Amino acid sequence: MIAVLAMVPGCMRDTGEGVVSRFMGMEPTALAPRDSTATPASAELEEVSPIIAQLQARRSAIASGTPYERVAEAVMQSDARVAEAELRVAQLRAQAARKNWLPRIGPDISLNSLGGFAASLVIDQVLFDNGRKIAERDKAKADVELAAVALVEDGNSRVFEALTLYLAAEEGRDSAAHFAEAHREMTRFEWVMSERVRGGVSDMSDLNVLRQKLASIQAQQGRAEERSRTALAELNAMSARPLDALRGLGGLHAAPEAPPLAVLRAEAEREATLAEARIARAGHLPGLSANGRLSDDGSLSGGLGVTTDSLFGLGTMAELNAIEAGKETAERRVAQAAEAAAREIASQSRQLEAYRRQLSEARLLTAQARQNLDLFQRQYEGGQRQVMDVVGVYETYAGALETEIDLRYRAARAELALARLQGALAEGARI
């Protein structure tokens, strides 16, 4: 009997619905959904999920050979990869779910009325379950897809955090170099003014103003250097090797056409929700199973049973309607995620364009301020300008250059944020 029950699923691979239908006096087409106890075909086992295929085909927008690429490689090498472990767990569960159509076998030991133990071997095979086994396999597959999306999201977020820290360190170093140059220039002005005061040509108040400006520039330089050191320390903590010597910005290619990761997550969640709905629906409908028992005295027994997980009640139809409504809700969540992702990408794209336009204008203003400074320098050397006049023009030039540095890194951060929204900071196949 055990051998016969074990062969039932294989015999019903192609005709399971017909056998059960004739047994129950129904037409095969009257069954919905189809019997899920049939063995999955090899094509189903080898079927590649469209979501995972899209993740594997996703390309990184980071240009090769740039500092960005070196930072990304360093932080990915040191990743703890918790999401990868979760994906492995989901894959093992999906692998186990692929064999849920096989019969279940196990011992049954009980205490009889005479105080003795009665042992038997029980085998149970589901013949018809309203599609529950298929839904369980689909749920396990959707869990793998969700774990795969989470893995790519984790890599994308990690690279974004590392590159953000690298930009903060680089901006701090550029700002510190700018303030160091401004400090040298202001020191030269302070020396000239101190000589003029010593000679009785200028007033002491002008010298005090210059010294106050020097102290302010030195404080700004110190803050910039501290920001750079802090960002580098945090970046090195999450990197496989020190990145202190790395300098310069890295370019980003245009992100390849691919759905945002938020949309892929919503699609995977939709598949999981639909599978859960089919499992819940099957739990309210009767199923057919065959079972056999081999007792310790050598006796065999078996039979067929019609069972259901939930008994019918006055609210059963409402529960079934709620399950159907949940399917529509899952579909709408995908549309909502696509709309939200499109809005965020559009907003970030406009912001990036604005920063780039402002950076171009700032560069033009810096060039004009430099020309004015050169003119005032020549006029000062010719005796037509005072020291404080040149100092005021130099402050204008230094402020324009500081604004240019700020906008350059704002644009770089906006570009990174856009690539993150598009899921283009980590290559799917390498992850």
Side-chain angles (χ1 to χ4, degrees):
M1 179 176 293
I2 294 176
V4 170
L5 287 177
M7 294 172 58
V8 167
C11 298
M12 296 177 60
R13 178 175 304 176
D14 300 321
T15 61
E17 291 185 4
V19 172
V20 177
S21 302
R22 287 190 294 271
F23 178 82
M24 299 179 67
M26 300 169 58
E27 293 297 327
T29 55
L31 293 176
R34 67 184 178 89
D35 178 22
S36 64
T37 59
T39 308
S42 59
E44 181 181 350
L45 290 174
E46 298 176 358
E47 179 185 358
V48 178
S49 164
I51 294 178
I52 294 181
Q54 292 183 49
L55 292 174
Q56 291 176 336
R58 186 174 294 270
R59 295 291 178 262
S60 174
I62 299 177
S64 60
T66 62
Y68 281 2
E69 184 186 37
R70 295 179 61 183
V71 171
E73 290 179 351
V75 298
M76 290 304 293
Q77 288 175 3
S78 63
D79 188 9
R81 302 184 74 83
V82 177
E84 181 182 353
E86 294 176 349
L87 174 60
R88 180 58 180 163
V89 172
Q91 288 175 324
L92 291 174
R93 288 174 177 169
Q95 183 179 354
R98 290 180 186 145
K99 297 178 173 58
N100 64 354
W101 55 273
L102 292 171
R104 294 176 298 174
I105 187 171
D108 181 20
I109 302 176
S110 60
L111 182 67
N112 58 28
S113 58
L114 299 178
F117 287 98
S120 59
L121 186 63
V122 179
I123 183 171
D124 183 80
Q125 173 61 51
V126 176
L127 302 179
F128 177 73
D129 61 358
N130 300 282
R132 180 174 188 139
K133 297 297 183 183
I134 290 180
E136 290 176 351
R137 294 196 291 268
D138 291 343
K139 176 63 168 59
K141 178 182 175 183
D143 289 340
V144 173
E145 293 172 343
L146 271 173
V149 173
L151 176 60
V152 178
E153 285 178 335
D154 183 72
N156 197 63
S157 298
R158 183 174 180 82
V159 173
F160 174 77
E161 292 174 3
L163 291 178
T164 300
L165 290 172
Y166 175 74
L167 285 179
E170 192 69 2
E171 182 180 11
R173 287 183 289 204
D174 281 354
S175 298
H178 162 65
F179 289 125
E181 178 64 24
H183 190 272
R184 284 192 295 269
E185 290 293 330
M186 201 62 68
T187 300
R188 185 170 64 88
F189 293 136
E190 189 265 347
W191 178 82
V192 172
M193 183 60 67
S194 64
E195 292 298 318
R196 290 174 64 88
V197 170
R198 185 179 294 111
V201 179
S202 297
D203 187 78
M204 188 65 185
S205 60
D206 292 336
L207 181 59
N208 290 335
V209 170
L210 284 177
R211 288 175 176 172
Q212 184 179 4
K213 293 181 184 297
L214 271 174
S216 176
I217 292 173
Q218 190 172 10
Q220 289 177 299
Q221 180 183 354
R223 288 194 294 269
E225 291 174 348
E226 186 62 33
R227 288 197 302 269
S228 178
R229 286 193 295 267
T230 302
L232 273 177
E234 188 174 352
L235 178 60
N236 288 332
M238 64 184 301
S239 173
R241 54 184 178 274
L243 298 172
D244 303 78
L246 193 61
R247 294 300 302 269
L249 298 182
L252 293 177
H253 299 304
E257 291 293 334
L261 293 177
V263 177
L264 293 181
R265 169 174 284 277
E267 291 178 355
E269 290 175 347
R270 175 194 61 191
E271 296 302 321
T273 301
L274 294 179
E276 290 173 351
R278 295 199 302 272
I279 293 174
R281 177 184 178 277
H284 287 83
L285 301 176
L288 178 64
S289 63
N291 58 77
R293 181 184 297 270
L294 175 62
S295 302
D296 53 0
D297 58 359
S299 61
L300 291 172
S301 61
L304 296 175
V306 178
T307 60
T308 181
D309 292 344
S310 303
L311 300 177
F312 284 93
L314 296 179
T316 300
M317 291 306 300
E319 292 180 0
L320 293 175
N321 292 334
I323 293 172
E324 294 299 322
K327 297 179 181 179
E328 182 180 358
T329 303
E331 294 288 348
R332 294 188 179 186
R333 286 200 183 105
V334 175
Q336 185 181 26
E339 178 185 349
R343 289 179 56 188
E344 290 179 352
I345 291 175
S347 174
Q348 193 63 42
S349 299
R350 300 291 83 76
Q351 188 174 14
L352 176 59
E353 291 178 3
Y355 282 143
R356 286 175 174 172
R357 184 187 67 255
Q358 294 171 18
L359 177 59
S360 178
E361 296 171 353
R363 286 171 177 166
L364 180 60
L365 293 175
T366 302
Q368 293 174 352
R370 183 66 197 184
Q371 292 175 358
N372 292 336
L373 177 61
D374 293 340
L375 176 61
F376 270 66
Q377 287 275 16
R378 290 193 298 269
Q379 291 176 346
Y380 167 74
E381 293 171 358
Q384 299 175 349
R385 296 288 183 180
Q386 299 294 323
V387 177
M388 297 305 294
D389 296 336
V390 182
V391 170
V393 176
Y394 180 79
E395 285 184 320
T396 302
Y397 164 72
L401 187 56
E402 184 179 350
T403 301
E404 179 184 338
I405 294 174
D406 178 66
L407 287 173
R408 180 163 68 247
Y409 285 95
R410 282 179 182 267
R413 283 191 290 268
E415 190 177 24
L416 281 180
L418 178 60
R420 181 193 186 185
L421 289 175
Q422 295 169 331
L425 288 180
E427 190 168 341
R430 296 183 64 180
I431 296 180

PDB file of all heavy atoms in Angstrom, residues 307-323:
ATOM      1  N   THR A 307     -11.260  16.558   3.553  1.00  0.00           N
ATOM      2  CA  THR A 307     -11.023  17.431   4.701  1.00  0.00           C
ATOM      3  C   THR A 307     -10.972  18.884   4.254  1.00  0.00           C
ATOM      4  O   THR A 307     -10.843  19.185   3.065  1.00  0.00           O
ATOM      5  CB  THR A 307      -9.692  17.069   5.388  1.00  0.00           C
ATOM      6  OG1 THR A 307      -8.622  17.228   4.443  1.00  0.00           O
ATOM      7  CG2 THR A 307      -9.706  15.643   5.913  1.00  0.00           C
ATOM      8  N   THR A 308     -11.062  19.769   5.217  1.00  0.00           N
ATOM      9  CA  THR A 308     -10.905  21.203   4.969  1.00  0.00           C
ATOM     10  C   THR A 308     -10.274  21.844   6.201  1.00  0.00           C
ATOM     11  O   THR A 308     -10.488  21.385   7.324  1.00  0.00           O
ATOM     12  CB  THR A 308     -12.256  21.862   4.654  1.00  0.00           C
ATOM     13  OG1 THR A 308     -12.053  23.256   4.407  1.00  0.00           O
ATOM     14  CG2 THR A 308     -13.226  21.711   5.811  1.00  0.00           C
ATOM     15  N   ASP A 309      -9.481  22.873   5.985  1.00  0.00           N
ATOM     16  CA  ASP A 309      -8.815  23.535   7.112  1.00  0.00           C
ATOM     17  C   ASP A 309      -9.790  24.360   7.940  1.00  0.00           C
ATOM     18  O   ASP A 309      -9.633  24.496   9.149  1.00  0.00           O
ATOM     19  CB  ASP A 309      -7.690  24.447   6.591  1.00  0.00           C
ATOM     20  CG  ASP A 309      -6.547  23.648   5.996  1.00  0.00           C
ATOM     21  OD1 ASP A 309      -6.483  22.434   6.254  1.00  0.00           O
ATOM     22  OD2 ASP A 309      -5.722  24.241   5.271  1.00  0.00           O
ATOM     23  N   SER A 310     -10.776  24.929   7.281  1.00  0.00           N
ATOM     24  CA  SER A 310     -11.730  25.809   7.962  1.00  0.00           C
ATOM     25  C   SER A 310     -13.142  25.311   7.720  1.00  0.00           C
ATOM     26  O   SER A 310     -13.500  24.969   6.586  1.00  0.00           O
ATOM     27  CB  SER A 310     -11.602  27.256   7.455  1.00  0.00           C
ATOM     28  OG  SER A 310     -10.281  27.734   7.639  1.00  0.00           O
ATOM     29  N   LEU A 311     -13.924  25.262   8.764  1.00  0.00           N
ATOM     30  CA  LEU A 311     -15.327  24.883   8.628  1.00  0.00           C
ATOM     31  C   LEU A 311     -16.134  26.037   8.062  1.00  0.00           C
ATOM     32  O   LEU A 311     -15.785  27.205   8.229  1.00  0.00           O
ATOM     33  CB  LEU A 311     -15.889  24.460   9.989  1.00  0.00           C
ATOM     34  CG  LEU A 311     -15.198  23.256  10.659  1.00  0.00           C
ATOM     35  CD1 LEU A 311     -15.823  22.996  12.024  1.00  0.00           C
ATOM     36  CD2 LEU A 311     -15.292  22.018   9.776  1.00  0.00           C
ATOM     37  N   PHE A 312     -17.180  25.698   7.338  1.00  0.00           N
ATOM     38  CA  PHE A 312     -18.044  26.720   6.757  1.00  0.00           C
ATOM     39  C   PHE A 312     -18.868  27.390   7.846  1.00  0.00           C
ATOM     40  O   PHE A 312     -19.326  26.756   8.793  1.00  0.00           O
ATOM     41  CB  PHE A 312     -18.975  26.097   5.705  1.00  0.00           C
ATOM     42  CG  PHE A 312     -18.288  25.801   4.412  1.00  0.00           C
ATOM     43  CD1 PHE A 312     -17.746  24.550   4.169  1.00  0.00           C
ATOM     44  CD2 PHE A 312     -18.171  26.786   3.434  1.00  0.00           C
ATOM     45  CE1 PHE A 312     -17.104  24.272   2.980  1.00  0.00           C
ATOM     46  CE2 PHE A 312     -17.534  26.519   2.252  1.00  0.00           C
ATOM     47  CZ  PHE A 312     -16.993  25.253   2.019  1.00  0.00           C
ATOM     48  N   GLY A 313     -19.041  28.677   7.702  1.00  0.00           N
ATOM     49  CA  GLY A 313     -19.858  29.444   8.624  1.00  0.00           C
ATOM     50  C   GLY A 313     -20.568  30.565   7.896  1.00  0.00           C
ATOM     51  O   GLY A 313     -20.438  30.721   6.668  1.00  0.00           O
ATOM     52  N   LEU A 314     -21.300  31.375   8.652  1.00  0.00           N
ATOM     53  CA  LEU A 314     -22.038  32.467   8.023  1.00  0.00           C
ATOM     54  C   LEU A 314     -21.107  33.518   7.425  1.00  0.00           C
ATOM     55  O   LEU A 314     -21.496  34.245   6.514  1.00  0.00           O
ATOM     56  CB  LEU A 314     -22.963  33.123   9.067  1.00  0.00           C
ATOM     57  CG  LEU A 314     -24.071  32.219   9.624  1.00  0.00           C
ATOM     58  CD1 LEU A 314     -24.889  32.976  10.668  1.00  0.00           C
ATOM     59  CD2 LEU A 314     -24.980  31.723   8.487  1.00  0.00           C
ATOM     60  N   GLY A 315     -19.880  33.602   7.922  1.00  0.00           N
ATOM     61  CA  GLY A 315     -18.948  34.602   7.403  1.00  0.00           C
ATOM     62  C   GLY A 315     -17.971  34.059   6.385  1.00  0.00           C
ATOM     63  O   GLY A 315     -17.033  34.771   5.989  1.00  0.00           O
ATOM     64  N   THR A 316     -18.148  32.806   5.949  1.00  0.00           N
ATOM     65  CA  THR A 316     -17.189  32.211   5.015  1.00  0.00           C
ATOM     66  C   THR A 316     -17.167  32.950   3.686  1.00  0.00           C
ATOM     67  O   THR A 316     -16.096  33.223   3.130  1.00  0.00           O
ATOM     68  CB  THR A 316     -17.527  30.733   4.789  1.00  0.00           C
ATOM     69  OG1 THR A 316     -17.463  30.031   6.042  1.00  0.00           O
ATOM     70  CG2 THR A 316     -16.561  30.109   3.805  1.00  0.00           C
ATOM     71  N   MET A 317     -18.328  33.302   3.145  1.00  0.00           N
ATOM     72  CA  MET A 317     -18.366  33.998   1.863  1.00  0.00           C
ATOM     73  C   MET A 317     -17.713  35.370   1.962  1.00  0.00           C
ATOM     74  O   MET A 317     -17.025  35.817   1.035  1.00  0.00           O
ATOM     75  CB  MET A 317     -19.813  34.132   1.385  1.00  0.00           C
ATOM     76  CG  MET A 317     -20.448  32.810   0.974  1.00  0.00           C
ATOM     77  SD  MET A 317     -19.475  31.918  -0.268  1.00  0.00           S
ATOM     78  CE  MET A 317     -19.460  33.114  -1.601  1.00  0.00           C
ATOM     79  N   ALA A 318     -17.918  36.029   3.086  1.00  0.00           N
ATOM     80  CA  ALA A 318     -17.271  37.330   3.267  1.00  0.00           C
ATOM     81  C   ALA A 318     -15.755  37.181   3.312  1.00  0.00           C
ATOM     82  O   ALA A 318     -15.019  38.018   2.774  1.00  0.00           O
ATOM     83  CB  ALA A 318     -17.775  38.001   4.546  1.00  0.00           C
ATOM     84  N   GLU A 319     -15.282  36.107   3.939  1.00  0.00           N
ATOM     85  CA  GLU A 319     -13.839  35.870   3.977  1.00  0.00           C
ATOM     86  C   GLU A 319     -13.300  35.607   2.581  1.00  0.00           C
ATOM     87  O   GLU A 319     -12.218  36.092   2.207  1.00  0.00           O
ATOM     88  CB  GLU A 319     -13.537  34.695   4.896  1.00  0.00           C
ATOM     89  CG  GLU A 319     -13.819  34.982   6.372  1.00  0.00           C
ATOM     90  CD  GLU A 319     -13.495  33.793   7.247  1.00  0.00           C
ATOM     91  OE1 GLU A 319     -13.045  32.754   6.700  1.00  0.00           O
ATOM     92  OE2 GLU A 319     -13.691  33.881   8.469  1.00  0.00           O
ATOM     93  N   LEU A 320     -14.018  34.830   1.783  1.00  0.00           N
ATOM     94  CA  LEU A 320     -13.581  34.571   0.407  1.00  0.00           C
ATOM     95  C   LEU A 320     -13.581  35.853  -0.420  1.00  0.00           C
ATOM     96  O   LEU A 320     -12.673  36.085  -1.229  1.00  0.00           O
ATOM     97  CB  LEU A 320     -14.485  33.518  -0.241  1.00  0.00           C
ATOM     98  CG  LEU A 320     -14.391  32.110   0.347  1.00  0.00           C
ATOM     99  CD1 LEU A 320     -15.423  31.192  -0.295  1.00  0.00           C
ATOM    100  CD2 LEU A 320     -12.983  31.536   0.152  1.00  0.00           C
ATOM    101  N   ASN A 321     -14.577  36.689  -0.214  1.00  0.00           N
ATOM    102  CA  ASN A 321     -14.606  37.971  -0.922  1.00  0.00           C
ATOM    103  C   ASN A 321     -13.450  38.876  -0.498  1.00  0.00           C
ATOM    104  O   ASN A 321     -12.878  39.609  -1.314  1.00  0.00           O
ATOM    105  CB  ASN A 321     -15.944  38.676  -0.672  1.00  0.00           C
ATOM    106  CG  ASN A 321     -17.107  37.963  -1.314  1.00  0.00           C
ATOM    107  OD1 ASN A 321     -16.942  37.243  -2.310  1.00  0.00           O
ATOM    108  ND2 ASN A 321     -18.300  38.132  -0.764  1.00  0.00           N
ATOM    109  N   ALA A 322     -13.116  38.822   0.791  1.00  0.00           N
ATOM    110  CA  ALA A 322     -11.980  39.615   1.264  1.00  0.00           C
ATOM    111  C   ALA A 322     -10.682  39.135   0.631  1.00  0.00           C
ATOM    112  O   ALA A 322      -9.792  39.941   0.316  1.00  0.00           O
ATOM    113  CB  ALA A 322     -11.898  39.532   2.788  1.00  0.00           C
ATOM    114  N   ILE A 323     -10.545  37.818   0.440  1.00  0.00           N
ATOM    115  CA  ILE A 323      -9.354  37.279  -0.216  1.00  0.00           C
ATOM    116  C   ILE A 323      -9.256  37.789  -1.646  1.00  0.00           C
ATOM    117  O   ILE A 323      -8.186  38.200  -2.123  1.00  0.00           O
ATOM    118  CB  ILE A 323      -9.385  35.743  -0.175  1.00  0.00           C
ATOM    119  CG1 ILE A 323      -9.231  35.251   1.276  1.00  0.00           C
ATOM    120  CG2 ILE A 323      -8.306  35.151  -1.065  1.00  0.00           C
ATOM    121  CD1 ILE A 323      -9.442  33.762   1.437  1.00  0.00           C
TER     122      ILE A 323
END
